[in-house]
């Protein structure tokens, strides 16, 4: 089992330095976001910057404790830990406190704690434990169910808490699975599907259908199916036209979508006949894709109009540029962009920001803390943060790849990609590239739970990394 | 693991790609596109208008007439409201809970109609008094969403001179459109001195840039006030009014309808301008204004109507002095010309009556005794002057003199709403009589009746002109403007084209009218030790009793004051107008009323022509 056992490697100081830099810079910005020229009392117990200082100190305690624990412990207790955090999620649903519409907080005296932050760590550990089992085959249906359960139980619980943002984080585990050999088609089709879904919201369905049909026909052409396209299209046009005139005659108000669909249906039937006649096996596959895309377009519409809340719909509409709402949903993003944009190349200087102090930017010390960075430290400061996070994530991927044991590697990817998701969504949101989803920027956003969660996440991996040459199982 | 290394690279590239996109977007936001910096400035920088305090107004002796008082508007930012103790609120600003409720109902209505915005301050309660403000300010911390803004209102030190002073009110929509200096809610002079000298009085608004947070709370000054422009207070102005004389005039006119205008002849400065009935200017200040304005504007005696410049009456016999001057100047009359009068001027078709007096009279005595017949002769001679060839040309020549005396057009005084009066010309009569009229047709003009209409200020100006022997300055109430000159038009002398010598017999007649022996028409206006020149008038009034008119000036050889008095329905000129004018002169020249005339003063002060008429 232990080929190169009892070979202790040193801790990765490079990552620790980045961590220290980010936490320090984060704290400086929390101080600035809360700074008010009126009150200059530094040691104000109730101020956010002071409390954050305490959370940072406690993080150091957590780091110390992690390094005292044997790496094997994290493997052994992965499921127990996972079970415990799921239990916490259930408890918070029953006894938690609702803040900003999300029932996801425990409140004990002055201390508030969000168990979802712990669940991320636990899920990463549990997934690593499952995938690293000797001879684990990801393609077995039973295993797919197991993977799905590990990922989606917390997602479901967090969605029930009405904390959509935190739930979305779990989708990064798909990337972990990708790294671990999941077929790339899932990512590819997921990507195509999301583009189609977004397009259906922007462009009327009828054009999407036309686009997809054209794409499929051209693809078929290149796959050797020729000469039948024109005939098929003629049949389709005939079917569409007859439905249209039938509708006119019977005075039924037909949506153009349905007329179009009738045409595509006729085309499909013709192509199926052709495929049987000429034994062209490639045709049914593409037809499946065609109808899959059509179904997706319809369900995206349905999901958008029937499932999403008004405010979520508005946020997406604003992001897609379909709705101008500078004082509503767009207000936050607009103010956030103004704050960041006003920073210029080198920023207005520490504590000199105006947008992020006078409450123009919402949640200026938590979800929108990056605005303070952008305003006071300018493009230089923003780039420091971007480069800091990209370096951290790449470093974590490199560290993960050098792990001897699968468990450490898989967990490492989980850590790297959770950071990546938070980084991409949070900063993307503040500069208007991602929808407004309320998730914290690691080490920057104010709050003990999130700082501890990310510290725990990171340092468990750094601890595992000290045993990178051993086989931990 | 080996094959999956590609995927590690793929994930790594994806991470770098996102980082690069962010970097690019941040570069655009922060470095390439300057629009966000401008937005940020307008976001946090609030332009606060600093209202200057309006110029003070003094009387000619430096007595303060109009000053400013601070009031406090309670402002509200609707979105910042939290639940508060409404009873406490009501108590500290002095409203009932019901009134407060209706204020909130009103606010919600305005919010719905988008007249006010939830995140912008708007006026919730206007003009809280200073003492209430003190109480409210202490408790303000309890009422989130409210704050107090200081404003100034006019404060009147005397309940006098309302028509001259005018009033200040909020700029209306029309003005806002016309003049960009004003914005919604700004105060502006609406009438009187406040309107005429608005530009001098208003000062210059200042600007202060403040840093505010998203709730509009002030967080400090923008760039240490580098771009602030302080407000410049309005210029103080000194009026020519003598507030003591004004007060006395208003007392004299109490319970009478009419007007007194007193002018300093050497300068044209108005010493007193009374329009009766009048009102206390404080009634049109602040919260009570709209209520009081309603009452005043529906009063049947029209207290808001400034009779001194707006009312048009026939000048009556006072015009005989002018006809005499024109006759002399035109050479159709000499001081020695005598006409006889047998209880009037009689022709086959028409008679103008006269009272009983010795006959015949020369020019001086015709004025002293106010003989109607004499002026019928004089007037017909003026119109039928062969020099002009036609009665039309004769009348127009006469009209031209009248215009030079200041009639028929606005004088251009600095009191608002001046009327122009009316002096008929030939084409006017041509229209009425279809071209066939003679000097006899318009004979009533000879004695100041008929179509002529004049305003009290024009009459006072006439007295001033007579006292100056043919020169006058446009009457005005401004004496001095701080850091500025009074308008040029008040410093230019007007000539009337009458030779100085021609005034001698006329003024002698006016002197005798007051000082003279038996038959003098205005002996009642005699003041011990002062030579007063005067002329009575009685204007026929189709609606009731004649108006009592008197013009006068004194002392004769060094005129200090010229007065015109109209008392509506007062009867003969000597009954009310002459004594009132004489008291104005005496008060102004000696500072008091002599004991010997105390009985008369008492009669005038107690005289009631309003309530008596109603009985």
């Amino acid at each position: 089992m232990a080929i190169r056992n009892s070979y202790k490697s040193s801790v990765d100081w490079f990552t620790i330095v980045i961590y220290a830099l980010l936490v320090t810079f984060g704290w400086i910005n929390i101080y600035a976001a809360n700074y008010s020229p009126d009150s200059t009392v530094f040691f104000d117990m109730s101020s956010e910057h002071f409390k954050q200082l305490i959370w940072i100190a406690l993080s150091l305690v957590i780091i110390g404790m992690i390094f005292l624990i044997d790496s094997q412990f994290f493997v052994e207790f992965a499921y127990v830990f996972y079970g415990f955090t799921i239990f916490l999620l259930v408890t918070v649903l029953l006894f938690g406190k609702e803040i900003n519409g999300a029932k996801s907080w425990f409140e004990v005296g002055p201390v508030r704690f969000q168990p979802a932050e712990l669940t991320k760590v636990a899920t990463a550990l549990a997934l690593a434990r499952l995938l690293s089992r000797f001879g684990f085959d990801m393609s077995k249906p039973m295993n797919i169910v197991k993977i799905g359960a590990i990922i989606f139980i917390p997602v479901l619980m967090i969605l029930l808490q009405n904390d959509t943002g935190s739930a979305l984080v779990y989708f990064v585990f798909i990337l972990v699975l990708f790294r671990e050999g999941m077929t790339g088609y899932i990512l590819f089709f997921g990507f195509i599907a999301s583009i189609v879904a977004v397009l259906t919201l922007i462009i009327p369905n009828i054009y999407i259908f036309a686009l997809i049909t054209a794409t499929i026909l051209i693809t078929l052409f290149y796959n050797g199916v020729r000469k039948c396209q024109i005939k098929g299209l003629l049949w389709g046009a005939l079917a569409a036209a007859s439905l249209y005139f039938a509708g006119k005659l019977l005075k039924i108000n037909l949506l153009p979508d349905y007329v179009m669909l009738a045409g595509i249906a006729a085309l499909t039937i013709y192509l199926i006949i052709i495929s049987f006649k000429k034994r062209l096996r490639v045709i049914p596959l593409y037809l499946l894709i065609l109808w899959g895309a059509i179904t997706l377009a319809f369900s995206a519409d349905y999901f958008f109009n029937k499932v999403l809340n008004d405010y979520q719909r508005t946020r997406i509409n604003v992001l897609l540029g379909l709705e101008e709402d500078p004082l509503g949903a767009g207000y936050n993003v607009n103010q956030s962009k103004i704050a960041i944009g006003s920073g210029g190349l080198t920023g207005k200087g520490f504590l000199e920001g105006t947008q992020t102090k006078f409450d123009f930017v919402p949640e200026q010390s938590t979800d929108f803390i990056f605005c303070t960075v952008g305003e006071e430290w300018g493009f230089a400061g923003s780039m420091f943060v971007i480069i800091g996070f990209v370096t951290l994530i790449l470093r974590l991927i490199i560290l993960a790849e050098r792990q001897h044991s699968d468990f450490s590697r898989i967990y490492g990817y989980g850590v790297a990609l959770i950071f990546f998701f938070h980084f991409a969504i949070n900063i993307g949101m503040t500069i208007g590239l991602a929808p407004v989803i309320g998730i914290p920027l690691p080490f920057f956003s104010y709050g003990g739970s999130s700082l501890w969660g990310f510290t725990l996440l990171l340092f468990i991996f750094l601890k595992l990394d000290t045993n990178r040459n051993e086989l931990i199982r | 693991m080996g094959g999956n290394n590609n995927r590690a690279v793929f994930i790594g590239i994806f991470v770098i790609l996102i980082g690069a996109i962010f970097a690019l977007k941040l570069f655009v936001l922060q470095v390439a596109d300057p629009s966000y910096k401008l937005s940020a400035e307008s976001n946090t920088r609030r332009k606060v208008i600093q209202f200057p305090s309006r110029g003070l107004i003094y009387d000619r002796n430096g007595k303060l007439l109009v000053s400013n008082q601070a009031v406090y508007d309670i402002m509200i930012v609707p979105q910042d409201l939290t639940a508060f103790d409404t009873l406490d609120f009501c108590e500290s600003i002095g409203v009932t809970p019901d009134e407060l409720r209706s204020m909130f109902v009103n606010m919600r209505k305005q919010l719905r109609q988008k007249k006010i915005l939830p995140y912008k301050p708007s006026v919730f309660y206007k003009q809280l008094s200073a003492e209430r403000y003190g109480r409210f300010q202490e408790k303000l911390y309890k009422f989130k969403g409210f704050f107090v803004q200081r404003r100034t209102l006019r404060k009147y030190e005397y309940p006098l001179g309302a028509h001259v002073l005018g009033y200040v009110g909020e700029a209306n929509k029309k003005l806002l459109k016309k003049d960009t200096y004003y914005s919604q809610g700004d105060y502006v002079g609406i009438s009187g001195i406040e309107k005429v000298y608005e530009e001098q009085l208003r000062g210059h608004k200042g600007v202060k840039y403040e840093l505010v947070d998203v709730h509009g709370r002030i967080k400090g000054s923008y760039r240490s006030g580098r771009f602030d422009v302080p407000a410049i207070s309005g210029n103080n102005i000194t009026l020519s009014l003598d507030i003591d004389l004004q007060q006395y005039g208003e007392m004299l006119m109490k319970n009478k309808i009419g007007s007194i205008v007193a002018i300093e002849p050497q300068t044209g400065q108005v010493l007193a301008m009374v329009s009766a009935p009048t009102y206390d200017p404080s009634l049109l200040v602040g919260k009570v204004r709209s209520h009081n304005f309603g009452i005043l504007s529906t009063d049947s005696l029209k207290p808001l109507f400034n009779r001194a410049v707006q009312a048009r009456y026939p000048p009556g016999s006072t015009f005989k002095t002018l006809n005499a001057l024109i006759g002399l100047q035109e050479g159709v009359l000499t001081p020695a010309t005598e006409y006889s009068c047998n209880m009037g001027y009689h022709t086959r078709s028409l008679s103008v009556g006269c009272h009983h007096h010795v006959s015949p009279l020369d020019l001086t005595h015709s004025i002293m005794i106010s003989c109607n017949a004499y002026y019928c002769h004089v007037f017909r001679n003026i119109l039928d002057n062969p020099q002009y060839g036609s009665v039309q040309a004769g009348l127009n020549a006469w009209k031209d003199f009248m215009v030079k005396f200041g009639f028929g057009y606005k004088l251009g005084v600095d009191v608002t709403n001046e009327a122009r009066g009316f002096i008929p010309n030939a084409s006017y009569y041509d229209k009425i009589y279809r071209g066939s009229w003679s000097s006899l047709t318009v004979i009533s003009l000879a004695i100041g009746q008929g179509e002529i209409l004049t305003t009290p200020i024009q009459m006072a100006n006439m007295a001033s002109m007579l006292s100056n022997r043919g020169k006058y300055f446009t009457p005005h109430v401004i004496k001095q403007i701080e850091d500025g000159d009074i308008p040029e038009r008040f410093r230019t002398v007007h000539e009337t084209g009458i030779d100085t010598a021609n005034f001698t017999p006329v003024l002698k007649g006016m002197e005798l009218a007051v000082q003279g022996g038996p038959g003098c028409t205005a002996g009642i206006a005699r003041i011990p030790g002062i030579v007063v020149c005067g002329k009575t008038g009685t204007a026929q009034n189709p609606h009731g009793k004649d108006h009592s008119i008197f013009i006068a000036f004194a002392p004769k050889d060094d005129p200090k004051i010229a007065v015109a008095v109209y008392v509506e329905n007062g009867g003969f000129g000597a009954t009310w107008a002459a004594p009132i004018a004489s008291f104005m002169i005496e008060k102004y020249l000696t500072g008091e009323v002599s004991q010997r005339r105390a009985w008369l003063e008492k009669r005038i002060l107690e005289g009631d022509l309003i309530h008596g008429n109603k009985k």
Side-chain angles (χ1 to χ4, degrees):
Chain A
M1 172 174 149
I3 298 165
R4 288 173 237 168
N5 63 345
S6 55
Y7 185 87
K8 264 275 189 192
S9 307
S10 67
V11 68
D12 187 57
W13 283 105
F14 184 80
T15 308
I16 291 178
V17 168
I18 297 176
Y19 169 80
L21 282 175
L22 291 176
V23 168
T24 311
F25 195 42
W27 182 83
I28 287 172
N29 283 293
I30 288 171
Y31 181 78
N34 288 294
Y35 176 79
S36 153
D38 311 335
S39 64
T40 44
V41 191
F42 183 84
F43 293 101
D44 178 0
M45 293 294 282
S46 65
S47 66
E48 289 193 350
H49 64 261
F50 191 81
K51 284 201 242 172
Q52 186 74 1
L53 212 53
I54 295 172
W55 308 146
I56 292 172
L58 287 172
S59 300
L60 298 180
V61 176
I62 291 173
I63 293 168
M65 279 161 57
I66 290 168
F67 279 102
L68 288 177
I69 298 169
D70 189 87
S71 291
Q72 195 64 40
F73 171 86
F74 299 112
V75 186
E76 299 288 348
F77 284 87
Y79 290 146
V80 178
F81 188 38
Y82 179 78
F84 172 68
T85 59
I86 295 296
F87 169 73
L88 283 183
L89 288 181
V90 175
T91 326
V92 84
L93 256 182
L94 297 175
F95 308 108
K97 187 173 166 63
E98 192 169 310
I99 290 169
N100 292 338
K103 201 174 179 185
S104 56
W105 296 81
F106 282 122
E107 194 171 56
V108 185
V111 182
R112 285 205 300 231
F113 180 73
Q114 197 176 12
E117 297 293 343
L118 271 185
T119 320
K120 268 185 289 207
V121 183
T123 308
L125 285 171
L127 192 67
R129 171 85 192 264
L130 179 70
L131 295 184
S132 64
R133 210 175 60 202
F134 185 74
F136 184 84
D137 182 359
M138 215 189 283
S139 56
K140 278 189 183 164
M142 193 54 208
N143 286 338
I144 292 175
V145 169
K146 281 179 185 168
I147 293 169
I150 284 181
I151 295 175
F152 286 108
I153 288 170
V155 169
L156 191 71
M157 305 301 298
I158 294 169
L159 279 178
L160 285 175
Q161 294 170 4
N162 201 13
D163 187 1
T164 325
S166 299
L168 287 173
V169 177
Y170 291 82
F171 282 95
V172 296
F173 288 117
I174 292 172
L175 273 177
V176 177
L177 298 176
F178 170 69
R179 162 63 186 85
E180 293 308 315
M182 181 186 73
T183 168
Y185 283 121
I186 293 181
L187 275 188
F188 178 72
F189 282 113
F191 181 69
I192 296 293
S194 52
I195 284 181
V196 171
V198 167
L199 281 180
T200 52
L201 299 180
I202 300 175
I203 316 171
N205 275 349
I206 184 160
Y207 298 111
I208 308 263
F209 298 158
L211 200 72
I212 299 167
T213 313
T215 315
I216 296 294
L217 288 180
I218 291 166
T219 325
L220 279 177
F221 185 83
Y222 280 102
N223 277 295
V225 184
R226 302 184 185 180
K227 289 178 186 170
C228 60
Q229 272 90 344
I230 303 292
K231 263 192 182 174
L233 280 177
L234 282 175
W235 279 112
L238 187 69
S242 40
L243 185 66
Y244 177 76
F245 286 113
K248 278 266 158 155
L249 222 62
L250 296 170
K251 301 217 160 97
I252 303 166
N253 204 2
L254 282 171
L255 281 175
D257 290 16
Y258 294 118
V259 178
M260 183 85 184
L261 277 183
I264 297 174
L267 173 71
T268 310
I269 291 166
Y270 173 76
L271 288 178
I272 288 172
I273 294 167
I274 294 289
S275 84
F276 272 111
K277 268 188 181 169
K278 301 197 172 172
R279 297 174 186 272
L280 288 171
R281 280 186 149 191
V282 70
I283 291 177
L285 176 67
Y286 282 99
L287 288 176
L288 212 61
I289 294 172
L290 173 67
W291 285 96
I294 287 168
T295 315
L296 181 72
F298 268 112
S299 50
D301 257 5
Y302 178 82
F303 178 78
F304 186 74
N305 290 319
K306 299 280 160 63
V307 178
L308 288 185
N309 291 330
D310 273 343
Y311 76 94
Q312 289 166 324
R313 224 182 344 263
T314 315
R315 281 174 181 180
I316 292 173
N317 274 338
V318 169
L319 182 77
L320 296 178
L322 296 176
E323 215 172 282
E324 282 285 338
D325 189 13
L327 286 176
Y331 174 82
N332 291 350
V333 174
N334 194 38
Q335 292 294 345
S336 161
K337 280 158 85 173
I338 288 173
I340 294 171
S342 70
L345 189 64
T346 52
K348 295 177 184 167
F350 181 50
L351 302 182
E352 295 294 319
T354 54
Q355 306 299 301
T356 46
K357 292 215 168 45
F358 303 150
D359 300 336
F360 286 98
V361 175
E363 310 284 335
Q364 57 197 21
S365 65
T366 52
D367 293 348
F368 283 87
I369 188 72
F370 187 69
C371 296
T372 305
V373 179
E375 190 184 15
E376 296 197 347
W377 302 94
F379 183 63
S382 310
M383 286 317 292
F384 177 79
V385 174
I386 302 285
I387 292 169
F389 273 106
V390 170
T391 312
L392 175 71
I393 294 158
L394 292 179
R395 179 70 188 169
L396 288 174
I397 291 171
I398 291 167
L399 291 188
E401 287 295 336
R402 79 179 181 188
Q403 300 304 312
H404 188 70
S405 62
D406 291 347
F407 176 82
S408 302
R409 184 185 68 244
I410 295 164
Y411 178 73
Y413 265 98
V415 174
L417 292 167
I418 287 171
F419 278 122
F420 174 65
F421 186 82
H422 276 265
F423 160 76
I425 293 297
N426 182 288
I427 293 182
M429 161 183 89
T430 60
I431 58 180
L433 290 178
V436 178
I437 294 169
I439 58 169
L441 183 63
F443 315 130
F444 277 75
S445 294
Y446 167 76
S449 315
S450 111
L451 180 65
W452 294 342
F454 289 118
T455 303
L456 200 61
L457 191 68
L458 181 64
F459 279 88
I460 286 176
F461 180 58
L462 290 185
K463 170 66 188 176
L464 292 173
D465 182 57
T466 58
N467 301 102
R468 59 181 166 268
N469 295 325
E470 297 167 54
L471 208 56
I472 315 163
R473 194 164 268 171
Chain B
M1 179 171 139
N4 287 343
N5 252 334
N6 284 337
R7 296 196 165 180
V9 172
F10 176 84
I11 292 171
I13 288 172
F14 187 52
V15 171
I16 292 169
L17 187 71
I18 294 289
I21 290 171
F22 283 5
L24 192 71
K25 176 75 180 183
L26 282 164
F27 182 80
V28 170
L29 273 180
Q30 298 188 294
V31 185
D33 185 351
S35 66
Y36 291 99
K37 287 167 204 66
L38 298 176
S39 300
E41 296 238 312
S42 65
N43 232 347
T44 48
R45 200 181 58 188
R46 186 165 71 182
K47 190 173 158 183
V48 182
I49 300 298
Q50 303 294 101
F51 290 99
S53 60
R54 219 172 153 77
L56 305 179
I57 302 178
Y58 295 94
D59 93 331
R60 68 186 294 113
N61 300 314
K63 289 186 181 166
L64 183 63
L65 303 183
V66 185
S67 58
N68 298 308
Q69 55 180 324
V71 291
Y72 301 86
D73 287 354
I74 299 181
M75 310 295 285
I76 190 169
V77 183
Q79 69 175 15
D80 294 349
L81 276 183
T82 54
F84 62 92
D85 183 347
T86 46
L87 274 181
D88 197 10
F89 188 89
C90 289
E91 203 180 297
S92 46
I93 70 168
V95 297
T96 65
D98 278 336
E99 285 170 327
L100 183 69
R101 202 165 296 130
S102 73
M103 278 148 73
F104 270 109
V105 168
N106 187 38
M107 184 193 82
R108 272 190 217 109
K109 202 172 102 196
Q110 290 186 310
L111 273 174
R112 267 199 307 278
Q113 296 168 346
K114 308 248 157 124
K115 279 187 188 159
I116 61 175
L117 295 168
Y119 51 90
K120 278 204 169 158
S122 44
V123 178
F124 183 70
Y125 183 78
K126 273 188 185 172
Q127 297 163 3
L128 196 67
S129 66
E131 55 266 34
R132 288 263 182 219
Y133 162 70
R135 223 172 305 164
F136 183 69
Q137 183 72 20
E138 275 174 30
K139 294 179 178 170
L140 192 58
Y141 72 95
K142 292 192 211 165
F143 311 129
K144 295 244 153 54
F146 290 100
F147 69 96
V148 176
Q149 183 177 299
R150 187 176 185 273
R151 305 213 64 162
T152 58
L153 292 182
R154 279 310 211 186
K155 186 182 179 204
Y156 296 94
E157 307 292 335
Y158 298 89
L160 305 168
H163 295 105
V164 176
L165 298 173
Y167 60 93
V168 172
E170 283 186 18
N172 59 22
K173 279 201 186 99
K174 211 171 115 196
L175 180 66
L176 292 178
K177 229 178 245 172
K178 205 176 80 184
D179 190 339
T180 50
Y181 176 85
Y182 299 100
S183 32
Q184 186 80 46
D186 281 7
Y187 287 128
V188 59
I190 306 267
S191 75
I193 280 295
E194 300 278 16
K195 182 180 184 184
V196 177
Y197 296 103
E198 165 69 11
E199 278 186 34
Q200 287 85 352
L201 287 169
R202 73 184 180 192
H204 291 277
K205 282 193 270 190
V207 173
K208 198 170 152 193
Y209 293 98
E210 285 171 342
L211 283 177
V212 294
D213 68 7
V214 71
H215 302 300
R217 286 183 295 236
I218 299 160
K219 293 286 171 182
S221 69
Y222 174 73
R223 303 235 174 132
S224 323
R226 213 175 301 163
F227 303 105
D228 294 0
V229 178
I232 300 169
S233 298
N235 292 331
N236 297 341
I237 63 174
T238 302
L239 299 185
S240 60
L241 291 188
D242 179 325
I243 198 64
D244 297 328
L245 190 64
Q246 178 77 21
Q247 180 175 31
Y248 187 60
E250 293 192 13
M251 267 167 64
L252 290 170
M253 290 302 288
K254 201 172 173 205
N255 291 327
K256 298 159 198 80
I257 303 169
S259 177
I260 305 174
V261 178
I263 293 175
E264 184 181 66
Q266 300 103 310
T267 56
Q269 291 174 3
V270 175
L271 299 169
M273 182 181 281
V274 179
S275 173
T278 184
Y279 60 92
D280 180 349
S282 305
L283 291 176
L284 296 186
V285 174
K287 298 179 80 67
V288 293
R289 169 161 62 229
S290 55
H291 174 73
N292 287 334
F293 197 89
I295 292 175
L296 290 173
S297 61
T298 53
D299 190 325
S300 63
L301 297 176
K302 298 188 180 166
L304 292 172
F305 184 64
N306 184 4
R307 290 177 164 80
V309 297
Q310 288 180 279
R312 305 182 308 161
Y313 309 99
S317 300
T318 60
F319 249 38
K320 289 170 184 166
T321 55
L322 302 184
N323 282 334
L325 288 172
I326 296 168
L328 290 168
Q329 188 67 27
E330 293 283 60
V332 298
L333 176 70
T334 69
T337 309
E338 292 195 0
Y339 291 107
S340 61
C341 169
N342 180 22
M343 293 296 280
Y345 179 78
H346 307 288
T347 67
R348 258 172 300 159
S349 59
L350 188 142
S351 280
V352 176
C354 190
H355 54 99
H356 176 76
H357 59 78
V358 291
S359 173
L361 297 170
D362 68 358
L363 174 56
T364 300
H365 288 86
S366 74
I367 288 175
M368 167 189 168
I369 284 169
S370 193
C371 175
N372 286 349
Y374 194 96
Y375 287 92
C376 292
H377 290 290
V378 173
F379 185 67
R380 288 197 69 179
N381 290 342
I382 295 169
L383 262 56
D384 297 333
N385 189 349
Q387 188 189 328
Y388 293 112
S390 72
V391 68
Q392 276 89 350
L395 182 74
N396 282 344
W398 174 85
K399 187 216 76 180
D400 290 344
F401 275 108
M402 285 302 170
V403 170
K404 281 191 173 165
F405 292 144
F407 294 101
Y409 294 93
K410 289 180 184 183
L411 283 168
V413 298
D414 48 359
V415 177
T416 44
N417 301 319
E418 191 191 357
R420 58 179 285 188
F422 181 66
I423 300 292
N425 60 12
S427 59
Y428 175 80
Y429 286 118
D430 283 343
K431 212 177 278 171
I432 293 180
Y433 300 110
R434 299 209 183 86
S436 92
W437 55 281
S438 71
S439 58
L440 192 59
T441 322
V442 297
I443 194 70
S444 49
L445 299 180
I447 55 168
Q449 299 291 347
E451 290 81 2
I452 316 172
L453 291 172
T454 60
T455 62
I457 188 116
Q458 286 174 330
M459 296 293 279
N461 184 55
M462 162 186 163
S464 163
M465 182 274 292
L466 289 168
S467 78
N468 285 335
R469 279 79 171 163
K471 295 185 174 80
Y472 72 89
F473 289 92
T474 302
H476 51 277
V477 293
I478 191 79
K479 185 163 180 251
Q480 210 179 315
I481 300 171
E482 186 188 20
D483 299 331
D485 294 321
I486 66 167
E488 176 65 30
R489 67 178 197 275
F490 299 142
R491 290 181 278 148
T492 1
V493 68
H494 295 266
E495 302 283 351
T496 51
I498 306 286
D499 298 338
T500 315
N502 290 336
F503 281 88
T504 313
V506 174
L507 297 191
K508 186 67 188 167
M510 288 177 72
E511 181 188 343
L512 290 178
V514 178
Q515 320 290 132
C520 74
T521 41
I524 198 164
R526 202 174 302 156
I527 304 166
I530 297 168
V531 183
V532 177
C533 295
K535 181 73 197 81
T536 53
T538 306
Q540 286 164 12
N541 173 14
H543 308 296
K545 209 175 162 190
D546 294 346
H547 299 323
S548 173
I549 313 169
F550 194 67
I551 62 157
F553 64 88
K556 186 188 175 196
D557 295 319
D558 179 22
K560 293 276 188 239
I561 178 169
V563 189
V565 177
Y566 266 88
V567 179
E568 289 185 21
N569 313 118
F572 293 117
T575 318
W576 292 103
I580 288 172
S582 72
F583 285 125
M584 290 296 285
I585 292 169
E586 187 174 12
K587 183 83 176 177
Y588 181 67
L589 294 178
T590 68
E592 57 185 6
V593 170
S594 64
Q595 275 303 306
R596 279 161 55 192
R597 291 176 11 109
W599 64 274
L600 181 60
E601 187 190 31
K602 186 166 182 281
R603 194 198 92 196
I604 299 294
L605 289 174
E606 290 176 357
D608 187 342
L609 296 179
I610 295 176
H611 307 94
N613 275 0
K614 281 187 181 164
K615 277 174 200 162

